Amino acid sequence: MARRTHHLTTRACADIANEANVRQLIAFHFSHRYERKRDDVYRELAGFTDRLAIPD
């Protein structure tokens, strides 16, 4: 589905951040499907990278 909607999966997003060796990954654009489930998305991202920064 991510490919069809031109969005990244949480794993792909985390993999890119890890490979790029970023200091912080700040997720800021969410599919409409997940706008009200941001905590779930952040929790999933945190399972793939320790670089996640969650905005207040």
Side-chain angles (χ1 to χ4, degrees):
M1 181 182 241
R3 184 172 291 151
R4 184 172 53 78
T5 60
H6 305 286
H7 281 88
L8 293 173
T9 62
T10 53
R11 166 151 334 239
C13 186
D15 286 349
I16 291 167
N18 292 334
E19 288 292 319
N21 218 13
V22 300
R23 272 190 263 162
Q24 293 183 324
L25 167 60
I26 302 172
F28 63 90
H29 173 77
F30 294 86
S31 165
H32 292 293
R33 206 170 149 205
Y34 296 102
E35 279 184 354
R36 294 191 175 159
K37 298 179 181 182
R38 289 181 184 212
D39 290 342
D40 294 340
V41 175
Y42 288 132
R43 198 172 9 267
E44 193 170 315
L45 274 168
F48 298 126
T49 186
D50 60 354
R51 300 168 192 278
L52 180 63
I54 301 172
D56 293 329

